[in-house]
């Protein structure tokens, strides 16, 4: 009987302690590192066990109600695991009010401090209320409460556990989808830089919808030998779909990937981005695969790279652990545990510029820079306007696109940094490299209410694609699916290797329900 009672008392706190780890792992099963997940789970259980032990010792000594320890421990753990999420929701709500009013306070440190103060006060109140409930409740009522807490904690943890058990693991290796020949003869083994500028708009979109003339930047690229494709379009409207397609030189429906049509789980395509056909083929030709870690999803890290660079701006370097911390009460120590996105972007620009000196021999360099995509951290001169971290970088996925001035300012800063990067790469490379500047998709053309502009599809698909190809070959394609078919195949095989170009759009909530979009010279 005592053993059953003890099990009843320890189960809810321990299950709730492990819940955040299970939930996060269920979302990223095929990208999270197993040893990190085990470490996070063990640490969470230890913290939960410590909280329970403290509560148990206190209530056993003062009130002789051991069941009371479970109730207080559950309240404490719920506060800890939900604090960061509530903080982000309140932060989003405050930002939403500013956006609705047509003004964003770029110095939001005061807003964050105010939210923390409110949440800490609420947490103390919740603990005092729980203590009052325990004091007024009989041992019998507390035991009944424990039964309710067991049902609650079991139902909560079973949901991610079932998803983990039913989500198939994705094999590391993939079959070759398209033949690549003689990559080793490409300009005598030129270095290849594939630089993704997230959400970078095409020149005509910038002129029409942002009142910005980007010709100075594009002309400077042309003077260096770049060929900018004036009518370039992305094949897909979301980053992970676009990169999976371009890095595997194939449309997604032709790739051997199983997805739920109604789902939005990105994990099935993550291995195909990290261990892509392009990187596999270039490795076979003696290239080193160099990956500069980004601040977003599939390109946060890459275990398949020969060399990997991280921007190293946080005391906590693993992204799985960092997201757990930022969702908890440890969010209070944000500056210690969180990744400063502004500094990370700056570090990544510096790393990219120094690759010729850092890495000798043939190399395929991949860098996904999550700009000029929001959050808009920089003005055109590079001054940091606001701080953001890994967890809150995509707040208002729709609403922040409406800040067109912020987007334009950040894009101009990106232009300056990319110009510096290219100048450094060209100056320090022994042989003229192949450099590809490409956006994964265009911006979302929406207003402050989140309503789509009539040119939404045109703006979302119209992208920057500018290529420095030393052989100065004619470019006869307009979309990323054919990019590496052009780069890696010899001249005589290019016409037969190219795919018919198609463009697809989908909603963020159902990214795999694709709608084919047909464009004419004037757009859709």
């Amino acid at each position: 009987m005592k053993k059953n009672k003890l099990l009843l008392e320890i189960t809810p706190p321990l299950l709730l302690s492990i819940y955040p780890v299970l939930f996060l792992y269920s979302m990223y099963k095929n990208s999270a590192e197993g040893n990190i997940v085990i470490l996070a789970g063990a640490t969470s259980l230890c913290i939960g066990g410590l909280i329970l032990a403290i509560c148990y010792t206190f209530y056993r000594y003062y009130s002789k109600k051991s069941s009371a320890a479970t109730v207080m421990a559950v309240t404490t753990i719920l506060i800890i695991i939900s604090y960061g999420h509530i903080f982000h929701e309140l932060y989003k709500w405050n930002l939403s009010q500013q956006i609705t009013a047509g003004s964003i306070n770029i110095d939001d440190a005061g807003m964050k401090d105010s939210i923390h103060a409110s949440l800490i006060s609420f947490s103390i109140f919740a603990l005092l209320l729980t203590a009052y409930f325990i004091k007024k409740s009989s041992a019998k009522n507390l035991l009944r409460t424990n039964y309710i807490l067991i049902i609650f904690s079991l139902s909560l943890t079973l949901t991610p556990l079932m998803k983990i058990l039913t989500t198939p693991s994705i094999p590391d290796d993939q079959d070759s989808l398209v033949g690549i020949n003689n990559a080793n003869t490409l300009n005598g083994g030129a270095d290849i830089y594939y630089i993704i500028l997230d959400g970078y708009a095409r020149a005509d979109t910038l002129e029409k919808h942002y009142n910005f003339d980007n010709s100075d930047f594009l002309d400077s690229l042309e003077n260096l030998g770049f060929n900018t494709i004036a009518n370039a379009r992305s094949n897909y409207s979301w980053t992970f779909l676009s990169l999976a397609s371009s890095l595997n030189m194939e449309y997604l429906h032709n790739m051997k990937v199983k997805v739920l049509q109604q789902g939005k789980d990105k994990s099935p395509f993550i291995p195909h981005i990290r261990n892509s056909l392009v990187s596999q083929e270039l490795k076979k030709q003696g290239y080193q695969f160099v990956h500069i870690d980004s601040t977003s999803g599939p390109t946060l890290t890459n275990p398949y790279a020969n060399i990997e660079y991280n921007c190293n701006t946080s005391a906590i370097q693993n992204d799985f652990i960092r997201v757990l911390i930022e969702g908890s009460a440890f969010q209070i120590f944000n500056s210690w545990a969180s990744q400063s996105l502004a500094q990370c972007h700056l570090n990544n620009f510096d790393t990219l510029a120094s690759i010729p000196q850092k890495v000798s021999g043939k190399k395929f360099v991949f860098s996904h820079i999550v700009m000029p995509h929001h959050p808009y951290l920089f003005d055109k001169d590079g001054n940091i306007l606001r701080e953001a971290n890994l967890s809150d970088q995509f707040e208002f996925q729709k609403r922040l696109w409406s800040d067109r001035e912020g987007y334009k300012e950040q894009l101009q800063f990106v232009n300056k940094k990319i110009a510096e990067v290219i100048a450094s790469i060209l100056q320090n490379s022994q042989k003229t490299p192949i450099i590809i500047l490409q956006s994964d998709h265009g911006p979302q053309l929406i207003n402050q209410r989140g309503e789509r502009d009539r040119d939404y599809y045109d703006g979302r698909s119209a992208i920057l694609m500018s290529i420095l190809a030393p052989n100065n070959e004619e470019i006869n394609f307009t979309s990323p699916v054919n990019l590496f078919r052009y780069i890696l195949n010899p001249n005589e095989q290019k016409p037969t290797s190219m795919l018919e170009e198609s463009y697809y759009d989908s909603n963020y909530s159902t990214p795999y329900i694709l709608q084919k979009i047909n464009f004419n010279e004037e757009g859709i």
Side-chain angles (χ1 to χ4, degrees):
M1 183 71 179
K2 286 186 177 180
K3 288 184 178 179
N4 291 338
K5 186 172 183 292
L6 179 63
L7 185 64
L8 179 67
E9 291 171 350
I10 68 172
T11 297
L14 295 183
L15 285 179
L16 290 174
S17 298
I18 197 71
Y19 170 73
V21 178
L22 292 175
F23 177 80
L24 192 59
Y25 183 55
S26 73
M27 298 296 292
Y28 301 103
K29 177 181 176 181
N30 286 299
S31 59
E33 301 171 51
N35 60 328
I36 296 296
V37 175
I38 292 171
L39 174 63
T43 303
S44 298
L45 286 173
C46 287
I47 293 172
L50 178 63
I51 292 170
L52 179 60
I54 293 171
C55 294
Y56 187 81
T57 302
F58 178 84
Y59 278 102
R60 187 177 179 84
Y61 180 80
Y62 283 103
S63 68
K64 309 299 181 184
K65 298 177 181 178
S66 60
S67 296
T70 303
V71 178
M72 181 57 76
V74 164
T75 301
T76 305
I77 291 168
L78 282 174
I79 289 171
I80 290 173
I81 66 175
S82 63
Y83 183 98
H85 299 286
I86 297 172
F87 173 87
H88 288 302
E89 290 303 314
L90 291 174
Y91 179 67
K92 284 163 59 176
W93 183 82
N94 275 277
L95 262 182
S96 177
Q97 296 300 107
Q98 291 184 13
I99 292 173
T100 302
S103 170
I104 296 181
N105 177 14
I106 59 176
D107 182 16
D108 56 6
M111 183 207 305
K112 291 182 177 180
D113 290 342
S114 176
I115 295 171
H116 280 306
S118 299
L119 278 179
I120 291 171
S121 299
F122 175 80
S123 299
I124 293 171
F125 175 75
L127 291 171
L128 291 174
L129 193 63
T130 302
Y132 180 78
F133 168 78
I134 291 170
K135 183 178 180 179
K136 294 295 183 180
S137 298
S138 65
K140 190 174 181 179
N141 283 338
L142 288 174
L143 190 61
R144 287 174 181 161
T145 303
N146 278 8
Y147 280 114
I148 295 172
L149 293 177
I150 279 198
I151 295 171
F152 169 70
S153 58
L154 276 173
S155 57
L156 197 65
T157 52
L158 279 176
T159 302
L161 191 59
M162 290 301 296
K163 185 175 181 181
I164 291 169
L165 294 174
T166 56
T167 300
S169 296
I170 299 174
D172 291 343
D173 297 322
Q174 54 182 298
D175 296 330
S176 181
L177 299 171
V178 58
I180 304 297
N181 297 294
N182 300 324
N184 195 38
T185 64
L186 182 63
N187 195 41
D191 294 339
I192 302 174
Y193 291 81
Y194 190 29
I195 303 170
I196 301 294
L197 303 177
D198 204 299
Y200 196 112
R202 205 171 65 187
D204 52 343
T205 302
L206 289 171
E207 188 169 359
K208 181 176 180 180
H209 296 282
Y210 293 84
N211 193 29
F212 178 68
D213 182 359
N214 204 26
S215 59
D216 285 347
F217 176 64
L218 298 180
D219 289 346
S220 70
L221 293 178
E222 184 178 351
N223 291 336
L224 293 172
F226 280 79
N227 189 333
T228 300
I229 303 172
N231 58 340
R233 291 191 183 279
S234 176
N235 302 103
Y236 298 92
S237 54
W238 301 106
T239 301
F240 76 106
L241 300 179
S242 178
L243 293 183
S245 175
S246 66
L247 286 167
N248 292 280
M249 300 171 283
E250 189 55 88
Y251 290 106
L252 303 182
H253 58 265
N254 291 330
M255 294 173 61
K256 301 174 182 178
V257 181
K258 294 182 180 179
V259 298
L260 293 174
Q261 286 294 106
Q262 298 294 332
K264 64 174 182 179
D265 181 12
K266 300 176 184 178
S267 62
F269 281 103
I270 290 177
H272 295 271
I273 294 172
R274 294 180 175 175
N275 191 29
S276 68
L277 183 60
V278 168
S279 64
Q280 288 183 44
E281 293 290 346
L282 287 171
K283 282 181 182 179
K284 290 176 186 177
Q285 299 297 333
Y287 279 77
Q288 293 189 85
F289 176 23
V290 180
H291 189 275
I292 300 176
D293 295 347
S294 80
T295 60
S296 172
T299 56
L300 274 170
T301 185
N302 196 326
Y304 301 100
N306 300 112
I307 301 172
E308 187 175 7
Y309 292 101
N310 187 282
C311 56
N312 294 323
T313 63
S314 168
I316 305 298
Q317 292 304 312
N318 184 270
D319 296 303
F320 188 90
I321 300 294
R322 189 184 299 116
V323 171
L324 281 176
I325 288 175
E326 291 178 359
S328 72
F330 296 105
Q331 158 70 222
I332 295 169
F333 308 106
N334 187 300
S335 60
W336 171 75
S338 296
Q339 177 132 311
S340 167
L341 293 187
Q343 191 57 52
C344 188
H345 291 318
L346 294 174
N347 290 354
N348 281 347
F349 279 125
D350 291 342
T351 299
L352 185 55
S354 64
I355 289 295
Q357 299 103 304
K358 289 177 178 288
V359 184
S360 60
K362 295 186 298 183
K363 47 195 167 286
F364 168 52
V365 182
F366 177 84
S367 178
H368 174 202
I369 297 169
V370 191
M371 292 197 300
H373 193 294
H374 58 73
Y376 306 126
L377 307 177
F378 300 96
D379 66 12
K380 64 181 180 181
D381 298 316
N383 298 307
I384 298 177
L385 301 177
R386 60 180 289 250
E387 289 292 344
N389 57 47
L390 195 67
S391 293
D392 64 19
Q393 64 177 317
F394 294 132
E395 308 293 15
F396 303 103
Q397 193 73 337
K398 291 182 178 179
R399 302 286 289 277
L400 282 179
W401 285 116
S402 66
D403 181 9
R404 298 191 183 184
E405 277 302 311
Y407 175 89
K408 185 168 66 174
E409 287 274 318
Q410 185 150 280
L411 181 138
Q412 292 177 79
F413 175 64
V414 169
N415 285 354
K416 291 179 181 179
K417 297 303 293 184
I418 285 295
E420 293 172 5
V421 165
I422 292 172
S424 179
I425 291 173
L426 293 178
Q427 181 180 348
N428 295 292
S429 296
Q430 295 182 354
K431 188 179 297 181
T432 303
I434 293 171
I435 302 177
I436 303 145
L437 293 179
Q438 180 210 305
S439 40
D440 48 351
H441 54 71
Q444 294 188 41
L445 300 177
I446 49 93
N447 61 26
Q448 290 183 354
R449 295 184 299 276
E451 298 167 341
R452 293 182 172 186
D453 189 279
R454 69 184 189 88
D455 292 331
Y456 176 87
Y457 293 113
D458 185 54
R460 188 65 169 167
S461 69
I463 60 170
L464 169 72
M465 186 183 288
S466 191
I467 304 168
L468 175 64
N471 294 335
N472 199 26
E473 300 164 0
E474 180 184 356
I475 295 178
N476 58 353
F477 65 92
T478 61
S479 68
V481 73
N482 281 317
L483 171 65
F484 282 99
R485 290 173 177 263
Y486 163 82
I487 295 292
L488 301 184
N489 274 307
N491 285 341
E492 64 274 10
Q493 295 183 16
K494 290 189 195 298
T496 58
S497 69
M498 293 295 179
L499 299 176
E500 180 181 350
E501 292 180 307
S502 299
Y503 313 99
Y504 300 90
D505 184 66
S506 57
N507 293 321
Y508 182 74
S509 58
T510 53
Y512 302 121
I513 300 179
L514 298 168
Q515 173 189 5
K516 190 172 183 179
I517 308 294
N518 296 313
F519 294 97
N520 54 39
E521 291 183 0
E522 297 180 356
I524 191 169

